[in-house]
Amino acid sequence: MIEEIRISSLGVIDESVLELGPGLSVITGETGAGKTMLVTALGLLLGNRADSGAVRTGARAARVDGVVRVDAAVVQAVEELGGEVEDGVVLLARQITAEGRSRAFVGGASVPVSALSGLADGLVAVHGQSDQHRLLRPEAQREALDEFAGKSVTTPLRDYTARFSRLKEVESELHEVTTHARERAREADLLRLGLSEIEAVAPQPGEDAALAAEEARLGHADTLRTAAESARAALSADEGPDATGALAAARRALESVREHDGDAAALSDRVAEMGYLLADLATDVASYSAAVETDPARLAAVSERRAALTALTRKYGDSIDEVLAWAAQAVTRLTELDDSDEHLERLREESTRLRAELTDLAGRLSSARKVAASRLAGAVTRELHSLSMPHALLEVVVGDAGRFTPTGVDEVDFLLAANTGMAARPLGKGASGGELSRVMLGLEVVLAGTRTAPTFVFDEVDAGIGGKAAVEVGRRLAALARHAQVLVVTHLPQVAAFAEQHVVVRKSGDGSVTTSGLTVLDDAGRVQELSRMLAGLEESDTAMAHAKELLDLARASV
């Protein structure tokens, strides 16, 4: 239940606080005074889209705060968002800047605006004139019937929706497989061709790099051998000077003075160590030189093998390792393509099974909806009789759409016969604005027993209604308020007379800036406001007498 709404710099409202209690509260005021701004403010608290144009001219930001008493389920949701609840009361807040930025708070914690929307269903049900037009749409009528039916529909509908979604996926895949069968066959042939080429060559990982090195060595064998022989001779020649002989002479010279100086001894040792290394190096160079052979046959074989590998890398990768990776992927893909016939059969079997299950679930949905349709039609018809439509008859027809839809195979139509002898016609064709308002109100009263929202807000849903019918609308709203908090924005004095709390929105201005304030009326104030609503005159004796009569009638009826 909403206990308080505080509004700052929103539209024509500069700064206002509205305290609300249980039962029926009405909001009245002259046209343009800002009555609907209260509903706008409440919508912002419930996560509706923010409009920077709603920020009061000259203000940096608009802000709406709401103090709401919540049940255990909402308490848990608030705590999961990081907010705090004290004594069953949570503070909701929404701020909109003139630049269009929006911030939301739940229990003191900053949260995404979507978090407010998530809490909305458990807090408030808002209905405006747009909901009357929404009621004309078949999907809205079906939703109302399903809501009234409760678990008898929602349980099979949940299972149906899951299977319907899977059927769409299966049939989409079936279409894909069958439509692109030729492309898949062509792709499989290309993959097989590529794999056969690779299999014929049978490349090994890293083989291309190894053969390139071997080809370079074989192609320059004479040059390599000549260089190796020259290096060997320079290191250790059979005749003439060489590095080994020079190093031996250096060692003998240092050894001769070894005993005279420690540094000379150390140098002699280093020269000796280099002599050993040089001897090993000379041996290795000699071995390399002996190993280099000219082998024209091997060179030709290597060149031929490299040409075969190059033919693969031109098509399937920059290196043999990439070619082998492509081959592995091709095998996997080819397995998928070759399995297409079996996969197609599996998809067809699943589609057949899903359609059978959907047929069964759709039958259960239709049966449950037809049972609920009869009860809903009777309940709303009784409400219409209480709303000064004594001969009205509402019919809820559940027809066959002839195909699976996301919600079953049913088409739901609300038909209204407003008077005796009239044929029942769809709401969009046979109902006037006032009749449509009463149908929606009657439906709301009936559905109230199935909803958990503790607060109902009606924004001028009584448009097009007057006279005795307006009195009955007020009486039904008062009856609804016995079970929930009801907040009504209205222009009808007959409705306002039934309020337990009457709030008037008054407009004042200095010629350039308009401000609106909220005032909770006492009995005398209510008489004045009702007389203004009746006759446009607050001091008219006749209007005030009529206003008092309305109040007496309402109090006697509650």
Side-chain angles (χ1 to χ4, degrees):
M1 182 182 76
I2 301 172
E3 295 187 346
E4 181 180 287
I5 299 177
R6 183 181 297 271
I7 305 171
S8 301
S9 302
L10 182 66
V12 297
I13 299 178
D14 182 17
E15 186 81 29
S16 291
V17 178
L18 175 61
E19 295 182 358
L20 296 170
L24 175 61
S25 299
V26 299
I27 313 296
T28 65
E30 294 183 358
T31 301
K35 298 187 297 298
T36 56
M37 272 299 155
L38 280 171
V39 180
T40 300
L42 187 57
L44 291 174
L45 280 182
L46 300 177
N48 288 358
R49 170 179 279 183
D51 178 10
S52 60
V55 178
R56 183 173 172 77
T57 303
R60 295 178 58 186
R63 184 180 175 96
V64 181
D65 295 273
V67 178
V68 185
R69 184 165 295 279
V70 296
D71 59 18
V74 178
V75 169
Q76 181 178 355
V78 171
E79 291 177 345
E80 288 175 353
L81 292 170
E84 295 183 359
V85 180
E86 296 184 3
D87 298 326
V89 172
V90 63
L91 177 64
L92 307 181
R94 183 82 176 275
Q95 180 175 295
I96 311 161
T97 68
E99 293 78 22
R101 293 188 298 275
S102 177
R103 298 186 65 190
F105 303 87
V106 173
S110 179
V111 299
V113 173
S114 58
L116 290 177
S117 301
L119 296 175
D121 289 342
L123 298 176
V124 181
V126 181
H127 299 279
Q129 294 185 50
S130 60
D131 291 283
Q132 297 177 13
H133 299 288
R134 180 177 177 275
L135 188 60
L136 300 178
R137 301 204 303 266
E139 61 269 23
Q141 297 175 11
R142 180 197 52 76
E143 289 170 3
L145 175 59
D146 289 354
E147 183 179 351
F148 178 77
K151 290 184 178 180
S152 65
V153 165
T154 56
T155 299
L157 181 58
R158 182 174 59 250
D159 296 336
Y160 176 95
T161 302
R163 284 164 176 78
F164 180 83
S165 177
R166 176 56 186 163
L167 178 63
K168 293 291 103 179
E169 295 174 359
V170 169
E171 291 188 338
S172 175
E173 191 171 355
L174 268 171
H175 177 75
E176 175 73 16
V177 172
T178 55
T179 302
H180 298 90
R182 182 175 298 174
E183 290 82 353
R184 292 166 68 89
R186 186 181 300 117
E187 181 185 359
D189 287 343
L190 290 174
L191 291 175
R192 289 191 185 93
L193 177 62
L195 288 172
S196 65
E197 290 181 357
I198 295 172
E199 184 179 359
V201 176
Q204 300 300 312
E207 185 180 3
D208 51 343
L211 289 176
E214 184 178 0
E215 185 180 48
R217 186 168 63 253
L218 290 170
H220 298 83
D222 292 338
T223 303
L224 291 173
R225 185 184 303 104
T226 300
E229 283 295 330
S230 298
R232 184 196 63 77
L235 292 173
S236 178
D238 295 333
E239 296 180 0
D242 59 15
T244 302
L247 198 61
R251 180 183 179 187
R252 286 193 297 271
L254 290 171
E255 278 292 320
S256 67
V257 296
R258 181 185 186 90
E259 61 184 9
H260 303 306
D261 185 6
D263 290 343
L267 290 171
S268 177
D269 293 340
R270 289 175 62 188
V271 170
E273 183 179 356
M274 291 180 64
Y276 302 141
L277 294 174
L278 186 61
D280 290 341
L281 179 60
T283 300
D284 290 344
V285 171
S287 298
Y288 173 77
S289 176
V292 175
E293 296 180 0
T294 301
D295 189 346
R298 176 58 184 168
L299 179 60
V302 169
S303 297
E304 183 180 353
R305 179 65 176 173
R306 287 198 67 206
L309 296 179
T310 300
L312 296 181
T313 56
R314 280 200 301 266
K315 294 181 180 180
Y316 307 111
D318 293 334
S319 67
I320 288 302
D321 287 346
E322 291 186 12
V323 170
L324 293 173
W326 179 91
Q329 295 173 358
V331 169
T332 301
R333 177 59 177 162
L334 191 57
T335 301
E336 295 176 358
L337 294 173
D338 289 342
D339 186 48
S340 60
D341 290 340
E342 294 182 8
H343 183 54
L344 183 62
E345 185 60 29
R346 288 195 298 269
L347 289 175
R348 286 171 175 162
E349 290 176 357
E350 185 176 3
S351 175
T352 300
R353 175 179 58 79
L354 288 170
R355 284 184 170 275
E357 292 176 356
L358 284 174
T359 299
D360 177 65
L361 289 168
R364 291 168 55 190
L365 279 172
S366 297
S367 297
R369 281 173 175 152
K370 288 174 181 177
V371 171
S374 177
R375 293 191 294 112
L376 178 61
V380 175
T381 295
R382 288 190 292 273
E383 290 297 326
L384 293 177
H385 293 172
S386 299
L387 291 170
S388 293
M389 295 180 66
H391 305 295
L393 175 65
L394 183 78
E395 296 181 15
V396 180
V397 178
V398 180
D400 188 352
R403 68 188 189 284
F404 291 126
T405 75
T407 57
V409 295
D410 302 318
E411 291 181 342
V412 177
D413 289 309
F414 284 13
L415 309 179
L416 178 67
N419 297 289
T420 303
M422 293 181 59
R425 302 186 64 195
L427 290 180
K429 298 179 179 179
S432 66
E435 289 168 345
L436 187 57
S437 295
R438 279 176 276 182
V439 170
M440 197 195 75
L441 179 58
L443 182 63
E444 193 61 50
V445 172
V446 171
L447 294 179
T450 67
R451 290 177 174 165
T452 57
T455 299
F456 292 86
V457 178
F458 296 92
D459 182 18
E460 296 190 1
V461 295
D462 48 17
I465 298 175
K468 182 179 178 181
V471 174
E472 296 304 327
V473 168
R475 183 176 284 112
R476 298 313 295 158
L477 288 170
L480 179 60
R482 287 198 289 268
H483 307 286
Q485 182 185 47
V486 179
L487 180 62
V488 181
V489 177
T490 183
H491 65 283
L492 292 179
Q494 297 93 327
V495 173
F498 282 87
E500 297 174 55
Q501 182 182 46
H502 190 154
V503 180
V504 64
V505 182
R506 290 197 173 95
K507 180 171 63 174
S508 62
D510 59 4
S512 60
V513 179
T514 299
T515 61
S516 289
L518 305 176
T519 303
V520 179
L521 301 177
D522 56 16
D523 287 347
R526 292 189 68 184
V527 170
Q528 278 194 329
E529 175 64 8
L530 290 177
S531 66
R532 180 199 65 77
M533 297 172 72
L534 284 164
L537 302 171
E538 296 183 3
E539 302 299 332
S540 166
D541 292 339
T542 302
M544 291 184 71
H546 191 183
K548 290 178 182 178
E549 184 180 359
L550 266 179
L551 283 172
D552 291 340
L553 171 65
R555 287 166 178 165
S557 301
V558 176

